[in-house]
Amino acid sequence: EFGNRLIKAAEQMEAINFSADRQHRAAETELSGPITLSIPDVLGQYLLLDDLTKFCATYPDIELSIQSSYQFADLDRSEADVVVRGTNKPPEHFVGRRLFPYALSFYCKSDYFEQTRPENYQWITGLPASQPGDWIADSPYPDVPIGLMSDDISFHYQAAVAGHGMIRTACYICDPDPRLIRVPNAMPPIPVADLWVLTHPDLRETPRIKLLMRFLVSALKSRKNLVEGRLNPDRSSPS
């Protein structure tokens, strides 16, 4: 019992320490210093790479560190200062901007159906534990078996580019690539979850944090059609 009380006291002290650190950073008024941005790696690689590079070049006094993760960083524990995520349920006490949903569609290499015999068609998917269950059944090829499985979204993309199968993934990853097409007879892109740019309430008025958040919101809004799957709606193979 005494040990449990000590643990509780230690956790309270830790929370006070994190809060004091946030208050210290929140009081900084210069457009300089460190920022840790938590962002899924595919958003960083396929959607915001050029923008993040531009931000670093434009504001060299801001030390931007990018943390690639699909899990929400714990802003209360200062694991990050800003997060960008696609979600329908962000932590309630985070503050920031909700933008628009990202969409998914079905893709394959442009000559996949000409170069592959029907009996060799296959899907490239996530691992079984991460499968949504019914999206293959709702696809234009519900009877095609699963071939390659990986928990790496970039692996899916590269495998599709190499002609190894069909994938379901974010439109912003595949639509800009002329080597890929949307699978024929697919339904319109499916909106999945809204994109959010968020920070901790204690940091919302910190100048460099506000600057990065405005920059990210502007960059994402400029790619709204791409994110929503409306960039190349007609680029698909003949059915």
Side-chain angles (χ1 to χ4, degrees):
E1 182 179 352
F2 177 66
N4 288 331
R5 292 201 301 269
L6 287 178
I7 290 173
K8 184 176 181 180
E11 290 173 342
Q12 292 173 339
M13 293 172 63
E14 182 183 51
I16 291 171
N17 183 62
F18 283 126
S19 177
D21 177 66
R22 286 195 307 273
Q23 296 298 330
H24 173 72
R25 286 182 288 136
E28 297 172 344
T29 59
E30 300 297 324
L31 290 178
S32 62
I35 303 177
T36 299
L37 169 64
S38 177
I39 187 171
D41 57 356
V42 291
L43 272 174
Q45 292 179 47
Y46 298 107
L47 192 62
L48 291 174
L49 177 59
D50 291 342
D51 299 289
L52 294 172
T53 302
K54 179 181 177 181
F55 182 87
C56 292
T58 305
Y59 304 102
D61 292 332
I62 295 178
E63 304 160 20
L64 181 64
S65 300
I66 299 172
Q67 176 192 89
S68 295
S69 174
Y70 291 94
Q71 302 298 319
F72 255 105
D74 189 340
L75 301 188
D76 293 326
R77 298 177 64 86
S78 299
E79 292 179 354
D81 303 305
V82 178
V83 297
V84 179
R85 287 294 183 281
T87 180
N88 290 321
K89 289 191 66 176
E92 292 184 358
H93 66 293
F94 291 1
V95 296
R97 289 285 301 276
R98 180 174 71 175
L99 297 175
F100 37 79
Y102 71 94
L104 306 180
S105 191
F106 304 102
Y107 295 91
C108 63
K109 191 175 180 182
S110 58
D111 62 357
Y112 181 71
F113 294 104
E114 290 76 28
Q115 300 297 322
T116 309
R117 297 173 63 87
E119 61 268 24
N120 293 328
Y121 293 169
Q122 66 176 9
W123 287 104
I124 301 163
T125 74
L127 298 177
S130 65
Q131 287 304 295
D134 59 359
W135 66 259
I136 291 180
D138 294 335
S139 76
Y141 293 89
D143 299 321
V144 168
I146 295 173
L148 295 168
M149 291 188 292
S150 170
D151 61 356
D152 186 339
I153 296 173
S154 291
F155 179 93
H156 300 177
Y157 166 74
Q158 295 294 345
V161 167
H164 296 313
M166 298 176 284
I167 62 173
R168 179 182 186 251
T169 195
C171 297
Y172 67 78
I173 296 176
C174 294
D175 278 343
D177 193 330
R179 297 171 296 178
L180 297 173
I181 58 169
R182 292 185 186 171
V183 170
N185 301 317
M187 296 290 288
I190 303 165
V192 179
D194 290 326
L195 290 178
W196 295 77
V197 180
L198 300 165
T199 189
H200 193 282
D202 291 346
L203 301 176
R204 66 191 305 172
E205 298 300 328
T206 305
R208 67 178 183 273
I209 301 297
K210 290 175 65 176
L211 177 67
L212 176 61
M213 293 181 70
R214 286 197 301 267
F215 185 92
L216 292 170
V217 167
S218 176
L220 289 167
K221 289 174 71 174
S222 73
R223 290 163 175 77
K224 185 174 187 289
N225 286 341
L226 173 61
V227 173
E228 293 185 328
R230 295 187 287 171
L231 180 66
N232 291 310
D234 298 322
R235 202 185 77 221
S236 61
S237 173
S239 57

